[in-house]
């Protein structure tokens, strides 16, 4: 007995993995209890209640979830918000054309009536959050099977949401935390009339492009400006020309003081997903099985896109957003794999699990017995199915035509059903018409045909090791492995990717057309692949993932018990969080040190007329030459463009306000360094840095380059 206690104590002592103060994305409601003291010891001068308070206005009232996956902050009493250029990219692109190339030239509304509406774009303010674990988990017991548990939880959640929405005044969401050990209610107010106010030209807003993406030193002027509109009562409303600028409860004051190394900063935003508490088997599956497939297949697509984008301005505009999206994941996963390897993360996790098992074995009747083995038993088969799924998603759905044709599935299904209300079909056809127009606006079938050939060839070469759709085996037999011939034929014959033919069918739609569609070669191909995904792969991945979900829930609890002195923050899940740290430089590799900030001089250093990503905006060059920096220069006389700090951030934090010790806005978060992208799986204080746009560079562009003085005047800027 004594020996056991000693062993246990030893295990706890040694296994309390020291977590640096920089790691973590914390829940604003617990800041006071868990973090305030530490934040203040690191330099923060405001109380936690200034950041989050339900009864008084606090900084949280100036932070919004922007669209589906970014953050923005309110910076004026007229609902002006700042986010990243890459977050507003889709909107900027959708207003762009060859004649009005806002992507290339930038866009500035000089008057309010020039601000551009963006159907579909919304921003959400968090009104409050609340621990509802007890209500959600009422009646749930450990012996319940996973499906029963899920159903019961879903029932509770839907009731909680309904009550919290106050007759649809608010959007309520209940999210799982700590792998489902806890549940929190989030109540949002959602605004739907969000207008584009300003965006710098891409050679500022996307300077460095994909070459510099995920990298430091960085010089991207990654910001865009929008405005929230409300109805006359200052409440959310659908777009209307009668709407007026929203009057916020709070907006952020902006500081021109800049940052020094060691300064306290915090990032307030909506991080999307992290997975810090996974077992070694999971890290192995992600980095050794899934990531390599994604990287390889995206490389193929990017090469083809790139070739065509360089040849034509029209294609460059059409494919800009798609290309950026594909490249972003591709490069992140490359960095993630390198970081995991450099950290020996898998070995570290394995060692941790071995120690934990030791601790478990030394207890009588531990509820955690056999946990790691159970993980292995499930991750092994899951890895095979995940690999198959990744191939299917990246190779087959990597073909734009296939993704597009999927949307016709429901039309055929609806048609085939007996007694379908014709009005329903009409409604769907209408939607398909507008969806098709949108699709073809940015579609080039020559590119897609080349993509199809390349991807299907690769898919076939991998087929021996994965679950591969039968239809593709049949095609390769029929066409003697000549995917080129197959693609040529499909693209020629299919009416579904011929804009003219398709629209003429849809616009004169009759029920008999459903047959025509269902016989289309592209439709058949898509159907078969979809069905392989749905009926063969998904049931398997779901099965193992469900097992793993319940194991993970127990594993997180086990980790908390095993390392009781460690402070656990919940994984990111697109809910509002605070990350805090200090402005800091880093050493990416032996003999190299990166400073914590970059300047306009660096843009001139990178300048190249040949490399598209490094073309410098002529007007910026003039300002640089004349040193017309106004009050935006740092004390060294230069324009600082970006800085790095140790805040723990992830995808979704883009556009987040970066605040100083006084809670003033000093930057806009937009990226992480390549050496640190594994922070979604394992954070490393030595190497992980968030990258922020220096707010002074942003204001300099608005004021001096765009001459949008009215926006500067709207903001509260402090010297
Ligand atoms: N890496 C950043 C993030 O994950 C920015 C991506 C946008 N820029 C680009 N060149 N693709 O969102
Ligand atoms: N660039 C990312 C975003 O869009 C931020 C990150 O992953 O660090 O949210």
């Amino acid at each position: 007995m004594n020996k056991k206690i000693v062993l246990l104590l030893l295990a706890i002592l040694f296994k309390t993995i020291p977590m640096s103060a920089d790691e973590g994305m914390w829940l604003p409601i617990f800041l006071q209890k868990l973090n305030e003291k530490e934040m203040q010891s690191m330099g923060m001068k405001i109380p936690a209640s200034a950041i989050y308070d339900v009864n008084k206005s606090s900084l949280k009232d100036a932070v919004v979830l922007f669209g589906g996956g970014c953050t923005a902050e309110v910076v004026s009493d007229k609902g002006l918000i700042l986010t990243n250029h890459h977050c507003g990219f889709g909107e900027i692109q959708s207003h762009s054309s060859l004649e009005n190339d806002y992507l290339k030239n930038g866009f500035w509304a000089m008057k309010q009536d020039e601000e551009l509406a963006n159907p579909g774009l919304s921003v959400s303010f968090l009104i409050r959050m609340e621990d509802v674990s007890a209500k959600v988990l009422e009646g749930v017991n450990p012996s319940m099977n996973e499906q029963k548990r899920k159903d019961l939880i879903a029932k509770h959640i839907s009731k909680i949401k309904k009550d919290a929405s106050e007759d649809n005044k608010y959007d309520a969401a209940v999210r799982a935390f700590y792998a489902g050990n806890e549940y929190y209610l989030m109540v949002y107010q959602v605004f739907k009339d969000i207008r584009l106010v300003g965006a710098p030209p891409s050679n500022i807003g996307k300077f460095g492009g994909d070459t510099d993406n995920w990298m430091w030193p960085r010089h991207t002027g990654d910001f865009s400006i929008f405005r929230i509109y409300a109805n006359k009562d200052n409440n959310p409303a659908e777009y209307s020309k009668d709407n007026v600028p929203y009057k916020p409860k709070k907006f952020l004051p902006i500081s021109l003081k800049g940052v020094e190394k060691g300064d306290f900063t915090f990032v307030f935003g909506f991080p999307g997903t992290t997975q810090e508490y996974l077992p070694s088997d999971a890290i192995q599956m992600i980095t050794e099985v899934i990531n390599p497939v994604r990287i390889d297949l995206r490389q193929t697509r990017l090469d083809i896109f790139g070739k065509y984008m360089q040849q034509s301005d029209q294609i460059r505009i059409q494919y800009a957003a798609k290309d950026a999206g594909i490249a972003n994941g591709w490069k992140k996963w490359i960095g993630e794999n390198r970081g995991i390897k450099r950290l020996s993360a898998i070995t570290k996790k394995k060692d941790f699990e071995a120690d934990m098992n030791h601790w478990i074995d030394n207890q009588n009747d531990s509820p955690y017995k056999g946990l790691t083995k159970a993980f292995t038993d499930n991750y092994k088969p899951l890895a095979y199915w995940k690999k198959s799924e990744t191939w299917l998603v990246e190779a087959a759905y990597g073909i734009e035509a296939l993704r597009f044709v999927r949307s016709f599935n429901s039309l055929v299904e609806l048609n085939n059903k007996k007694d379908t209300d014709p009005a329903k079909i009409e409604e769907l056809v209408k939607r398909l018409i507008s969806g098709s127009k949108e699709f073809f606006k940015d579609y080039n079938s020559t590119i897609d045909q080349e993509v199809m050939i390349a991807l299907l060839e690769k898919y076939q070469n991998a087929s021996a090791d994965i679950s591969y759709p039968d239809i593709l085996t049949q095609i390769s037999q029929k066409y003697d492995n000549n995917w080129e011939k197959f693609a040529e034929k499909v693209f020629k014959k299919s009416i579904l990717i011929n804009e003219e033919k398709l629209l003429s069918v849809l616009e004169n739609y009759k029920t008999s057309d459903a047959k025509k569609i269902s016989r289309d070669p592209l439709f058949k191909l898509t159907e078969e692949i979809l069905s392989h995904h749905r009926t063969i792969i998904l049931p398997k991945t779901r099965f193992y993932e469900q097992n793993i979900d319940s194991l993970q829930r127990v594993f997180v609890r086990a980790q908390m018990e095993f390392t009781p002195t460690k402070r656990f923050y919940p994984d990111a899940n697109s809910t509002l969080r605070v990350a805090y740290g200090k402005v800091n430089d880093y050493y990416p590799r032996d003999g190299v040190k990166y400073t914590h900030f970059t300047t306009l001089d660096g843009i001139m250093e990178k300048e190249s007329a040949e490399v598209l990503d490094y073309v410098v905006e002529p007007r910026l060059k003039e300002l640089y030459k004349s040193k017309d920096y106004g009050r935006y220069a740092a004390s060294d006389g230069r324009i600082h463009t970006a800085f790095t700090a140790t805040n723990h951030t992830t995808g979704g934090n883009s556009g987040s306000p970066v605040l100083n010790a006084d809670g003033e806005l000093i930057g806009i978060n937009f990226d992480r360094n390549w050496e640190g992208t594994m922070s979604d799986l394992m954070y490393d204080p030595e190497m992980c840095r968030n990258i922020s746009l220096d707010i002074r560079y942003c204001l300099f562009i608005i004021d001096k380059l765009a001459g949008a003085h009215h926006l500067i005047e709207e903001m509260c800027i402090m010297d």
Side-chain angles (χ1 to χ4, degrees):
M1 182 67 189
N2 274 346
K3 203 175 133 209
K4 267 188 196 161
I5 292 177
V6 171
L7 270 175
L8 195 138
L9 283 177
L10 273 179
I12 290 173
L13 263 179
F14 286 111
K15 275 304 129 196
T16 309
I17 310 173
M19 196 173 82
S20 82
D22 307 302
E23 179 174 355
M25 344 182 124
W26 303 92
L27 277 171
I29 35 172
F30 296 136
L31 277 188
Q32 194 158 22
K33 193 168 86 191
L34 292 179
N35 312 94
E36 184 179 53
K37 228 164 135 193
E38 183 178 74
M39 292 170 90
Q40 289 177 340
S41 79
M42 289 167 75
M44 187 172 77
K45 298 197 194 106
I46 54 173
S49 61
I51 299 175
Y52 180 92
D53 199 316
V54 238
N55 303 313
K56 299 197 301 285
S57 85
S58 56
L59 293 174
K60 85 144 178 27
D61 299 316
V63 182
V64 292
L65 177 67
F66 180 89
C70 275
T71 305
E73 51 276 4
V74 186
V75 290
S76 89
D77 63 355
K78 283 190 260 172
L80 199 66
I81 53 175
L82 294 177
T83 187
N84 291 141
H85 185 263
H86 79 260
C87 292
F89 199 77
E91 283 75 27
I92 303 166
Q93 188 212 14
S94 77
H95 294 295
S96 295
S97 59
L98 280 174
E99 302 77 52
N100 278 324
D101 196 344
Y102 299 142
L103 275 183
K104 188 160 172 208
N105 306 319
F107 168 79
W108 302 97
M110 288 301 176
K111 297 192 299 272
Q112 247 166 46
D113 62 8
E114 290 169 8
E115 298 176 357
L116 299 172
N118 302 284
L121 177 65
S122 64
V123 305
S124 309
F125 287 90
L126 180 75
I127 302 298
R128 63 187 175 95
M129 63 168 81
E130 183 189 332
D131 183 353
V132 290
S133 308
K135 278 190 228 165
V136 171
L137 295 170
E138 200 185 306
V140 169
N141 63 59
S143 60
M144 232 172 207
N145 82 30
E146 198 60 23
Q147 195 54 50
K148 264 224 169 95
R149 183 181 198 273
K150 272 200 175 133
D151 293 345
L152 186 59
I153 287 176
K155 201 176 106 196
H156 292 157
I157 286 180
S158 100
K159 161 110 179 54
I160 296 170
K161 274 168 58 175
K162 189 158 171 273
D163 295 345
S165 82
E166 298 181 22
D167 290 328
N168 294 325
K169 185 167 158 207
Y170 298 121
D171 256 31
V174 174
R175 308 301 293 262
F177 286 72
Y178 299 109
N181 285 295
E182 295 177 17
Y183 285 84
Y184 289 78
L185 165 69
M186 310 284 152
V187 180
Y188 298 104
Q189 188 177 30
V190 184
F191 286 83
K192 292 180 175 154
D193 185 354
I194 313 300
R195 303 192 196 164
L196 177 64
V197 174
S202 281
N203 53 23
I204 290 175
K206 213 189 160 189
F207 182 80
D210 288 318
T211 315
D212 282 5
N213 189 22
W214 295 115
M215 304 239 263
W216 185 256
R218 191 67 161 276
H219 301 86
T220 314
D222 199 344
F223 75 93
S224 59
I225 313 174
F226 288 79
R227 191 188 301 282
I228 306 171
Y229 279 76
N231 65 17
K232 296 225 162 64
D233 308 320
N234 206 32
N235 282 322
E238 295 293 337
Y239 170 83
S240 155
K241 62 175 186 0
D242 300 328
N243 285 346
V244 291
Y246 168 65
K247 251 190 126 27
K249 289 185 220 154
K250 176 98 190 166
F251 62 93
L252 301 179
I254 299 174
S255 166
L256 294 179
K257 276 194 257 84
V259 290
E260 302 284 344
K261 184 177 165 180
D263 279 357
F264 173 83
T265 65
F266 66 105
V267 176
F268 203 4
F270 291 87
T273 314
T274 59
Q275 301 174 285
E276 312 286 346
Y277 306 107
L278 292 178
S280 56
D281 292 315
I283 307 293
Q284 203 153 5
M285 179 179 84
I286 295 169
T287 58
E288 293 176 9
V289 179
I290 298 178
N291 283 356
V293 177
R294 291 163 155 176
I295 293 165
D296 176 29
L297 290 171
R298 289 194 175 204
Q299 177 80 62
T300 304
R301 271 196 280 168
L302 289 168
D303 288 345
I304 297 172
F305 284 9
K307 191 176 74 188
Y308 286 95
M309 285 169 77
Q310 248 171 32
Q311 288 167 7
S312 135
D313 270 349
Q314 189 186 351
I315 295 178
R316 175 182 56 74
I317 295 175
Q318 286 181 313
Y319 275 70
K322 290 187 246 191
D323 184 80
I326 297 167
N328 198 38
W330 163 79
K331 197 161 179 184
K332 190 196 123 170
W333 294 318
I334 295 176
E336 185 170 87
N337 269 14
R338 287 187 194 163
I340 288 295
K341 191 160 162 220
R342 195 183 45 74
L343 274 181
S344 304
I346 297 172
T347 313
K348 275 199 186 116
K349 293 243 175 192
K350 282 207 161 106
D351 291 348
F352 174 79
E353 286 153 25
D355 291 337
M356 183 185 227
N357 279 335
H358 201 69
W359 168 73
I360 293 169
D361 289 342
N362 278 303
Q363 290 172 317
N364 295 323
D365 271 346
S366 164
Y368 308 126
K369 266 209 168 73
L371 191 55
T372 47
K373 180 168 178 310
F375 268 129
T376 307
D377 290 346
N378 282 284
Y379 271 110
K380 249 211 184 106
L382 180 65
Y384 170 82
W385 292 106
K386 273 287 178 197
K387 185 175 179 178
S388 305
E389 185 173 50
T390 310
W391 269 99
L392 190 142
V393 168
E394 294 286 337
Y397 299 159
I399 303 161
E400 290 175 73
L402 252 72
R403 273 204 316 278
F404 172 61
V405 166
R406 275 196 313 202
S407 53
F408 288 86
N409 208 295
S410 38
L411 180 61
V412 173
E413 267 172 23
L414 207 59
N415 245 312
N416 290 346
K417 250 204 255 154
K418 270 192 201 125
D419 315 319
T420 302
D421 177 5
K424 256 195 179 160
I425 296 184
E426 204 175 307
E427 169 73 40
L428 182 58
V429 170
K430 247 197 227 146
R431 253 186 292 141
L432 285 171
I433 291 175
S434 77
S436 302
K437 285 185 181 156
E438 217 164 279
F439 171 78
F440 286 111
K441 178 172 166 272
D442 292 333
Y443 181 68
N444 180 299
S445 65
T446 311
I447 297 180
D448 203 29
Q449 189 171 334
E450 199 170 321
V451 166
M452 178 190 254
I453 297 165
L455 292 183
L456 291 185
E457 239 164 45
K458 283 202 158 173
Y459 199 4
Q460 187 190 4
N461 291 337
S463 61
D465 297 329
I466 53 175
S467 167
Y468 182 66
D470 283 339
I471 176 86
L472 294 177
T473 310
Q474 290 158 17
I475 293 172
S476 63
Q477 280 164 359
K478 186 166 162 201
Y479 286 83
D480 211 13
N481 296 328
N482 190 338
W483 291 102
E484 215 172 310
K485 214 162 91 196
F486 168 70
E488 200 180 309
K489 183 147 173 219
V490 171
F491 271 78
K492 204 184 268 159
K493 269 188 80 178
S494 173
I495 57 152
L496 296 171
I497 40 164
N498 183 316
E499 183 170 11
E500 226 172 282
K501 284 188 192 157
L502 177 65
L503 284 179
S504 106
V505 170
L506 290 177
E507 272 156 7
N508 309 296
Y509 189 79
K510 13 182 219 326
T511 5
S512 59
D513 288 331
K515 240 197 197 112
K516 201 189 272 168
I517 293 174
S518 63
R519 285 208 199 109
D520 190 277
L522 203 50
F523 184 85
K524 276 200 280 193
L525 174 67
T526 307
E527 267 248 304
E528 297 268 348
I529 290 176
L530 236 129
S531 136
H532 185 82
H533 191 193
R534 276 195 201 138
T535 60
I536 312 244
I537 297 180
L538 269 182
K540 295 289 188 187
T541 54
R542 276 210 195 110
F543 173 78
Y544 293 112
E545 277 171 349
Q546 220 169 56
N547 292 347
I548 284 167
D549 281 351
S550 44
L551 294 172
Q552 184 64 29
R553 194 167 58 239
V554 177
F555 187 48
V556 167
R557 224 182 308 130
Q559 292 179 61
M560 288 173 161
E561 268 178 51
F562 180 48
T563 54
T565 55
K566 181 173 155 175
R567 245 181 345 177
F568 278 78
Y569 59 93
D571 269 321
N573 59 357
S574 299
T575 57
L576 187 60
R577 304 293 180 91
V578 174
Y580 52 94
K582 287 185 173 178
V583 173
N584 206 356
D585 46 29
Y586 71 105
Y587 296 81
R589 51 189 180 275
D590 190 33
V592 182
K593 179 184 174 171
Y594 284 158
T595 55
H596 66 274
F597 68 97
T598 56
T599 68
L600 199 47
D601 307 59
I603 294 182
M604 302 307 146
E605 264 174 29
K606 279 182 178 169
E607 178 177 22
S608 157
E610 290 88 60
V611 184
L612 209 61
D613 287 341
Y614 292 142
V615 173
V616 175
E617 172 63 29
R619 287 171 288 169
L620 184 61
K621 229 184 325 193
E622 275 163 33
L623 290 167
Y624 175 71
K625 279 203 194 116
S626 64
K627 298 281 173 289
D628 182 10
Y629 296 162
R631 53 179 173 152
Y632 308 111
S635 53
D636 61 6
R638 298 187 286 175
I639 289 286
H640 287 204
T641 41
F643 61 91
T644 50
T646 60
N647 304 294
H648 187 184
T649 54
T650 187
N653 269 124
S654 273
S656 300
V658 183
L659 301 125
N660 65 14
D662 294 306
E664 300 157 341
L665 186 69
I666 49 169
I668 307 174
N669 188 75
F670 70 96
D671 212 359
R672 279 171 285 161
N673 59 335
W674 217 14
E675 299 82 3
T677 46
M678 71 299 183
S679 65
D680 290 349
L681 302 173
M682 190 180 271
Y683 184 88
D684 174 13
E686 295 293 310
M687 218 45 111
C688 292
R689 299 288 178 269
N690 68 308
I691 301 177
S692 307
L693 170 70
D694 193 306
I695 201 67
R696 295 169 297 181
Y697 182 45
C698 166
L699 297 173
F700 164 73
I701 298 293
I702 299 173
D703 188 346
K704 297 285 179 178
L705 189 125
H709 307 293
H710 64 294
L711 299 178
I712 298 287
E713 268 147 37
E714 248 190 89
M715 301 183 220
C716 167
I717 301 172
M718 294 171 311
D719 288 306

